[in-house]
Amino acid sequence: MRYIAEDIEVRAREELFINIHPIQPAGRLTPEAMKALIAYGDGYSTCDWCVKPFRLDKIRRPPIYEFHSDLAEFLGMDEARVVPGARRGFQAVVSSIAGPGDSVIVSSLAHYTEFLAVEDAGAVVKEVPLNEKNVITGENVAKKIEEVRRETGKLPKLILIDHFDYMFGNEHDIKGIAKVAKEYGIPFLCNAAYSVGVMPVNGREIGADFLVGSGHKSFASPAPSGILATTKEWADRVLRTTQMVGDVTKRRFGIKEVEMLGCTLMGSNLIAMMASFPAVRERVKRWPEELEKTNYFLREFLRIKGNAILSEMPRKHTLTKVDTSKSFDLVARRHKRRGFFLGDELRKRRIIGEFLGATRAWKLNTYGLTWDQIKYLAQAFQEIAREYGIEVE
Amino acid sequence: MRYIAEDIEVRAREELFINIHPIQPAGRLTPEAMKALIAYGDGYSTCDWCVKPFRLDKIRRPPIYEFHSDLAEFLGMDEARVVPGARRGFQAVVSSIAGPGDSVIVSSLAHYTEFLAVEDAGAVVKEVPLNEKNVITGENVAKKIEEVRRETGKLPKLILIDHFDYMFGNEHDIKGIAKVAKEYGIPFLCNAAYSVGVMPVNGREIGADFLVGSGHKSFASPAPSGILATTKEWADRVLRTTQMVGDVTKRRFGIKEVEMLGCTLMGSNLIAMMASFPAVRERVKRWPEELEKTNYFLREFLRIKGNAILSEMPRKHTLTKVDTSKSFDLVARRHKRRGFFLGDELRKRRIIGEFLGATRAWKLNTYGLTWDQIKYLAQAFQEIAREYGIEVE
């Protein structure tokens, strides 16, 4: 084992293994992003050419300003900001729109960061039930809005629903939800942490008032990094500039945005996002092939007797929840390494990223694997199955 | 000019120049931090060994958990968290303690991010006047508290004062302020963005309830990165865990901290901080020599006729505000490049980081320069002065 400093080991999982970790593959850096990290790693590296009006997203060397406009256009929105993670985007929107006594509609598969953003604002989450396919529909959102109105006497202040959820990677009916949101006049934040950066996403076509993306999850960028995009209509509220005046000095800080806490995502993380952007623009066009590969893999995976898929099929995302409780888990129960046997076997074959020790319901993500790697991965699971006496059709 | 991707130029200012930029020198990476960036750049790189209870600061491989305890101890506090920038530390504390109708005491030299954190919480800043040396004293804080009490009928909810301010780099009377804070029973957040990581800082000795530091400003780390440290007494409030329960699913998210929005600073920024930590621990011991060097430089700088220092003297910080309106600015007025002539001359001598175009009051920082570089820097300014007919004693 090699170490960087004291007891920090060198990480080379992406270089040495096929990584099927549920949240890591689409955040793997491009070579350009790695070069950006090296060139812009030092602290305030983005401030070399900061001139009036002294706000990060206005800097033109490197072309941070241009990146912001290109990003807004790419997402079909009017304004875009980069933030330290999708969660900071939720926080900015929720705290601008909801407060104590208010309700925010979320999914029954809402990510915990959505709960926390609502709690931080003093508001309360109201979950929309899933339909029989584990999908959130516009119809169920409408029902929930009515329920909240009956119970609290007020409409919810915000609808915050995931484009694809973290649990099944299922696609939710965001266009239907946007329509319902418009009918009720409630703003809609579409959490696109699993979609912006891997597939084409257009906020205007969706009808979303806010679009939030994740750099480290889906935009080939280092953590923390995220995107908050919005429309002209909402920019004034969520991207409002400071009004505070010092009582003694009478100081004001001009165009600094309150929810952004002034300058947005800085340093090498920002420049890495910018450096990955050209590749990201191209890769979203190849999403259909990513789905072909993942569906191919899962068909092969299902040839292992007892294996099941818990996500909707055919897959519309490369993140999938699988169920191996009637296959690999039967082995795990009598194996001295218990559930870890599967990871051991995968590792022997240079595959990592399985949920440590899990052999019942667990998640995997095939994003970015080549066809050769996909086939190798399918064969590896079948080979392990056979080795442990599980039938492969 | 070399480019990383499209129009992003390679940044090599720290490698090719002597950089006297006011906020960049102490955020320059250590070699270990650069290695960490390269090894941990990929998105969710810190999540490889995330096991129960599934919170970033509890991960032991790499030793993130251990880093957090070591950091708290290093700062003389009970609990420490890493956050995406000092501003996110202010935000977490202010929004936990102050709300609409509340006042927060800040300095007349408060950084704009402190204003924004207060504004974001719906509270109002109340500035403490400076004394004749541009220093905030405990006495003036006490007077301001009384003034706020008279005006609003309530005590302020929080005192947020900088250890060293961003404008002059002056040291403020934080021990005296802590004493006043204790007397009034008001919590004290010491903004140590300019001190934690460059000099020894001990929250317990200061008597601070909160200590906030900046990774990219003073801890040899990439942006965004910061530190929030607190005492046992305040941890329950500011680091409170989520209480939100899903109304349909009954989900709860256990030990995730609301103000941290769950997992704290992730990825290569965190690992770079960890990698720089051993060097940072050592370098804070060499602070007296940093001051010797900066005071030497300024004595030489003052030999240029008309030059003045606006910060307190002798310097207790390497960040200094200088006044060259009676020396270099006289040249600028008749030079075709105006104020940019000084930067041009410095650049010829491989020096950068001066405030672009400024020749009146501007800031520089000598942190981390070797004695040879300090002497070279002093000579360079004197040489430029002589070349333009300014007397050097």
Side-chain angles (χ1 to χ4, degrees), chain B residues 159-172:
Chain B
I159 299 168
L160 198 179
I161 303 279
D162 319 309
H163 187 187
F164 287 82
D165 67 85
Y166 79 104
M167 185 54 80
F168 298 105
N170 286 354
E171 185 177 24
H172 301 282

Side-chain angles (χ1 to χ4, degrees), chain B residues 191-325:
Chain B
N191 172 11
Y194 282 95
S195 53
V196 162
V198 293
M199 70 183 82
V201 177
N202 187 298
R204 202 166 290 125
E205 283 171 19
I206 295 166
D209 301 289
F210 305 101
L211 205 56
V212 167
S214 168
H216 46 271
K217 197 166 264 156
S218 306
F219 209 88
S221 298
S225 56
I227 298 163
L228 168 61
T230 186
T231 60
K232 277 199 196 78
E233 291 69 32
W234 284 98
D236 284 351
R237 178 131 168 216
V238 171
L239 304 177
R240 67 193 177 283
T241 54
T242 174
Q243 302 299 318
M244 188 68 74
V245 184
D247 61 330
V248 169
T249 61
K250 306 299 170 202
R251 288 183 300 164
R252 297 169 158 275
F253 293 101
I255 62 156
K256 303 284 190 184
E257 293 167 347
V258 178
E259 291 295 342
M260 300 296 107
L261 294 179
C263 292
T264 42
L265 185 72
M266 308 170 195
S268 45
N269 292 19
L270 166 61
I271 308 297
M273 287 183 89
M274 290 167 55
S276 275
F277 190 38
V280 163
R281 282 185 120 126
E282 288 307 309
R283 81 183 195 179
V284 300
K285 299 177 193 162
R286 297 191 300 269
W287 183 243
E289 195 179 356
E290 291 295 333
L291 295 184
E292 253 180 73
K293 285 185 285 186
T294 220
N295 280 304
Y296 168 87
F297 166 73
L298 293 173
R299 280 193 303 273
E300 291 297 311
F301 188 79
L302 285 172
R303 288 176 55 199
I304 299 168
K305 205 177 157 190
N307 275 3
I309 309 296
L310 301 174
S311 303
E312 56 175 353
M313 288 288 278
R315 300 295 305 125
K316 296 181 207 153
H317 202 284
T318 56
L319 167 70
T320 299
K321 189 162 194 173
V322 300
D323 183 347
T324 55
S325 52

Side-chain angles (χ1 to χ4, degrees), chain B residues 18-291:
Chain B
I18 289 177
N19 187 3
I20 58 170
H21 192 285
I23 57 175
Q24 289 178 338
R28 196 182 293 133
L29 299 189
T30 59
E32 292 78 10
M34 180 54 82
K35 288 181 74 176
L37 275 193
I38 294 169
Y40 286 84
D42 295 305
Y44 278 113
S45 60
T46 33
C47 307
D48 296 333
W49 303 98
C50 183
V51 291
K52 268 192 185 163
F54 303 114
R55 203 174 79 195
L56 189 79
D57 59 302
K58 304 285 187 187
I59 291 174
R60 308 198 71 155
R61 183 174 171 190
I64 298 171
Y65 173 78
E66 289 75 4
F67 172 65
H68 278 78
S69 352
D70 291 351
L71 189 60
E73 202 194 321
F74 173 68
L75 299 172
M77 299 295 270
D78 301 319
E79 288 285 344
R81 296 287 181 278
V82 285
V83 287
R87 62 193 73 198
R88 295 295 180 175
F90 306 149
Q91 184 186 35
V93 175
V94 178
S95 90
S96 298
I97 289 181
D102 291 331
S103 311
V104 175
I105 297 280
V106 301
S107 161
S108 280
L109 296 171
H111 193 252
Y112 79 85
T113 52
E114 299 166 2
F115 267 51
L116 295 185
V118 173
E119 187 170 357
D120 190 34
V124 171
V125 296
K126 296 290 179 182
E127 296 175 313
V128 180
L130 299 164
N131 73 3
E132 67 293 349
K133 288 176 179 165
N134 289 328
V135 163
I136 300 285
T137 61
E139 198 189 334
N140 278 355
V141 169
K143 276 189 202 158
K144 189 74 190 191
I145 292 171
E146 287 300 336
E147 188 188 312
V148 170
R149 175 145 68 178
R150 272 197 312 277
E151 273 180 18
T152 69
K154 292 197 302 185
L155 284 176
K157 284 292 172 76
L158 177 69
I159 299 168
L160 198 179
I161 303 279
D162 319 309
H163 187 187
F164 287 82
D165 67 85
Y166 79 104
M167 185 54 80
F168 298 105
N170 286 354
E171 185 177 24
H172 301 282
D173 177 23
I174 47 170
K175 286 189 186 178
I177 295 164
K179 212 167 145 249
V180 169
K182 286 256 174 325
E183 284 164 13
Y184 282 94
I186 303 170
F188 171 39
L189 188 167
C190 177
N191 172 11
Y194 282 95
S195 53
V196 162
V198 293
M199 70 183 82
V201 177
N202 187 298
R204 202 166 290 125
E205 283 171 19
I206 295 166
D209 301 289
F210 305 101
L211 205 56
V212 167
S214 168
H216 46 271
K217 197 166 264 156
S218 306
F219 209 88
S221 298
S225 56
I227 298 163
L228 168 61
T230 186
T231 60
K232 277 199 196 78
E233 291 69 32
W234 284 98
D236 284 351
R237 178 131 168 216
V238 171
L239 304 177
R240 67 193 177 283
T241 54
T242 174
Q243 302 299 318
M244 188 68 74
V245 184
D247 61 330
V248 169
T249 61
K250 306 299 170 202
R251 288 183 300 164
R252 297 169 158 275
F253 293 101
I255 62 156
K256 303 284 190 184
E257 293 167 347
V258 178
E259 291 295 342
M260 300 296 107
L261 294 179
C263 292
T264 42
L265 185 72
M266 308 170 195
S268 45
N269 292 19
L270 166 61
I271 308 297
M273 287 183 89
M274 290 167 55
S276 275
F277 190 38
V280 163
R281 282 185 120 126
E282 288 307 309
R283 81 183 195 179
V284 300
K285 299 177 193 162
R286 297 191 300 269
W287 183 243
E289 195 179 356
E290 291 295 333
L291 295 184

Side-chain angles (χ1 to χ4, degrees), chain A residues 9 11 13 24 29 40 42-44 48 61 87 110 119 127 144 242-243 247-249 251 261, chain B residues 9 11 13 24 27 29 40 42-44 48 61 87 110 119 127 144 242-243 247-249 251 261:
Chain A
E9 65 192 275
R11 182 179 190 266
R13 294 163 80 88
Q24 289 178 339
L29 299 189
Y40 285 84
D42 294 306
Y44 278 113
D48 295 334
R61 184 175 171 191
R87 62 192 74 196
E119 187 170 358
E127 296 175 314
K144 190 73 189 193
T242 174
Q243 302 300 317
D247 61 330
V248 170
T249 61
R251 288 183 299 164
L261 294 179
Chain B
E9 65 191 278
R11 182 180 190 267
R13 294 164 80 87
Q24 289 178 338
L29 299 189
Y40 286 84
D42 295 305
Y44 278 113
D48 296 333
R61 183 174 171 190
R87 62 193 73 198
E119 187 170 357
E127 296 175 313
K144 189 74 190 191
T242 174
Q243 302 299 318
D247 61 330
V248 169
T249 61
R251 288 183 300 164
L261 294 179

